[in-house]
Amino acid sequence: TLFAVTAESKARRRVAASKVACAQIGHVVFTIGEFVAAASLCKADLIMAAGLTANVCMLALVLERRMHASFDGVQAFLRIALVLGQALACAWSVQKYLGCMRLGDKVLETVNQPVQEVTLVPTIPLDVGQLNTSGVLCRRWRLACLLAVAPTLLLAFWPLSRPFSQRAVAATAAGAAVVSLVLLAAERTCSTIERVQASRHRSFALADTFSNEAEQTAALLPFTSAATIALSAAIALVSEVNPISASALTVVQAVIWIVSSRRALATKFESLAALQVDSVAAQPTMWDSSSESIGRRLKHWAIN
């Protein structure tokens, strides 16, 4: 009886530990999911900016031709407005990309944090606007904005020998190219953190599976413990009347203890699997072309 109760107690503790580990991994997964969703919002804004800047470029190309002498002033004003709007779009897209990059850094910080140190507390809703408040990020944003706006403003004033209508077309085209490059960088950042999220989802799914298997295996242990306790009471009662029958009940009690010990051992291994799955499943399994030489890349390209 003592062995059966001890086996049940150890199995219950192991199941509880595996459940806590699974909850910690789930907390990390859902936190990463929040960051990925916020990064997707930044990427969606950049897609909108890329479309608008492309339309602005086409509008500047339409306004390059002189319509009528009475519309010269209006056309000049529209060209100036388009160039300034393109410059503002470049600065705004850089701000969105830096927010996306900051979210990627937060994802990597969350992933690199040991799961055992994760505290299961309610998280504050994420505000993307608060990600650009640090001094270092503000200085980085100013420098990036200057670099992003520079092609548009430079082509708006140079070369002076060309008419402003042609310079406006070149300036708006440069702005659209800058926004497209920023969108490409944001897509790369989002793809990286989405791969990290998928890896953590795999860890969470495996840990949850092993934890549920351990709980299902340990579900029989309370019944075996109660059965051994009841048999102990029956043995104590029957031994006063018929000792031979009491010895037969001890055989049944031993069989029940063997079953419970086997169940406890299975629960132990499944709980250990749930505790160790994060360190195994978090390892990257996808082929990374950046780790191979140029010759091997060309070989893969030729085969595929």
Side-chain angles (χ1 to χ4, degrees):
T1 302
L2 181 61
F3 289 142
V5 173
T6 303
E8 179 189 0
S9 176
K10 291 181 179 180
R12 287 299 177 184
R13 285 199 301 269
R14 291 179 180 125
V15 169
S18 65
K19 284 293 184 181
V20 171
C22 183
Q24 289 171 334
I25 297 174
H27 183 75
V28 172
V29 168
F30 298 137
T31 303
I32 293 175
E34 185 180 5
F35 291 144
V36 171
S40 299
L41 289 177
C42 295
K43 187 177 71 172
D45 293 337
L46 287 175
I47 293 174
M48 178 190 67
L52 289 177
T53 52
N55 290 328
V56 167
C57 181
M58 289 187 291
L59 183 58
L61 188 61
V62 171
L63 293 174
E64 182 183 5
R65 296 177 60 87
R66 186 181 181 185
M67 297 181 181
H68 194 270
S70 60
F71 292 105
D72 289 343
V74 177
Q75 284 185 269
F77 174 76
L78 289 177
R79 294 189 190 107
I80 295 174
L82 292 179
V83 171
L84 293 178
Q86 205 80 327
L88 291 176
C90 292
W92 182 74
S93 63
V94 167
Q95 181 185 10
K96 289 295 181 180
Y97 169 66
L98 289 179
C100 183
M101 190 170 61
R102 178 59 179 161
L103 289 167
D105 293 338
K106 283 185 171 293
V107 168
L108 295 180
E109 291 174 4
T110 305
V111 170
N112 294 329
Q113 181 183 6
V115 178
Q116 291 78 11
E117 298 179 3
V118 175
T119 305
L120 300 178
V121 295
T123 57
I124 302 175
L126 180 65
D127 186 6
V128 182
Q130 296 178 356
L131 295 174
N132 300 325
T133 56
S134 62
V136 177
L137 198 59
C138 287
R139 289 193 296 271
R140 187 188 301 176
W141 177 74
R142 294 191 189 100
L143 179 60
C145 283
L146 289 176
L147 293 177
V149 174
T152 302
L153 297 182
L154 179 63
L155 292 176
F157 294 97
W158 184 84
L160 294 176
S161 59
R162 306 176 73 179
F164 181 70
S165 59
Q166 296 180 1
R167 284 181 282 156
V169 173
T172 53
V178 168
V179 174
S180 300
L181 291 176
V182 171
L183 176 60
L184 178 63
E187 288 281 1
R188 184 175 179 83
T189 302
C190 289
S191 66
T192 302
I193 61 178
E194 285 172 1
R195 287 183 60 183
V196 172
Q197 183 189 24
S199 176
R200 283 295 173 172
H201 267 296
R202 184 173 67 249
S203 302
F204 175 67
L206 289 174
D208 187 55
T209 300
F210 284 121
S211 179
N212 291 333
E213 288 289 338
E215 188 176 17
Q216 183 179 2
T217 304
L220 185 64
L221 294 178
F223 171 75
T224 57
S225 299
T228 54
I229 293 172
L231 284 175
S232 298
I235 289 171
L237 178 63
V238 174
S239 61
E240 298 294 333
V241 180
N242 191 351
I244 298 176
S245 300
S247 62
L249 291 177
T250 57
V251 175
V252 177
Q253 190 179 30
V255 172
I256 294 177
W257 171 75
I258 292 173
V259 173
S260 63
S261 63
R262 300 276 297 179
R263 288 282 181 170
L265 188 62
T267 303
K268 173 185 176 181
F269 288 123
E270 289 168 354
S271 301
L272 288 176
L275 293 173
Q276 298 175 359
V277 71
D278 181 68
S279 60
V280 177
Q283 298 177 358
T285 58
M286 296 181 64
W287 173 68
D288 188 6
S289 61
S290 61
S291 61
E292 296 192 352
S293 62
I294 298 177
R296 291 184 63 87
R297 294 185 197 177
L298 293 176
K299 180 180 177 181
H300 279 289
W301 179 80
I303 293 175
N304 296 326

